[in-house]
Structures are given as C-alpha cells and as structure tokens.
Amino acid sequence: MLDRLDSISTVRIGGIDYEIVLDDDLLKVQNLLGSIDLASCEIRVDATLPPQSIDSTILHEAVH
C-alpha cells in the first residue's frame, strides 16, 4: 500500500482518472475535509490537514 497518497496527482477509480487537488480553503470556506466532483473528475482535499489525514481523506472520497 502507498504510504504517501498525498504525493500522487491522480487516482484511477473504475477506469476514470481523478485529479487530486489540495485546496487551502476547503475546510475554512466549505467546512469539508474533502470532496469528490464526479463531473470534473476531481478529488479536493483540504491542504491544511496533517499528511495522515490527507491520505485517509483521499481514500474516503475514493470510496464514494
């Protein structure tokens, strides 16, 4: 298993590549740790999270 998921730029889910976007304002503005946008194929994660939380948030959003 990858131990640093936040160092990758995309993740493939069901044959579709989703771009990983670190967003400095996601938690502050939208009160979210992460979100997945199926239309734009992006997984957004709050950049202020600790590395371990970024990893788990990417996995969480990928499961959606």
Side-chain angles (χ1 to χ4, degrees):
M1 175 156 191
L2 294 173
D3 58 357
R4 297 295 311 157
L5 286 177
D6 63 316
S7 66
I8 60 173
S9 61
T10 62
V11 63
R12 180 165 287 184
I13 304 169
I16 299 172
D17 291 332
Y18 287 81
E19 181 181 2
I20 305 297
V21 178
L22 296 178
D23 186 331
D24 292 326
D25 296 323
L26 192 62
L27 182 59
K28 183 171 65 174
V29 174
Q30 296 185 23
N31 201 31
L32 296 172
L33 300 179
S35 67
I36 187 166
D37 187 329
L38 302 175
S40 66
C41 299
E42 290 182 341
I43 295 176
R44 300 186 84 73
V45 180
D46 189 84
T48 65
L49 296 173
Q52 184 175 3
S53 295
I54 290 175
D55 295 348
S56 63
T57 302
I58 292 170
L59 288 172
H60 173 89
E61 295 304 327
V63 170
H64 280 284

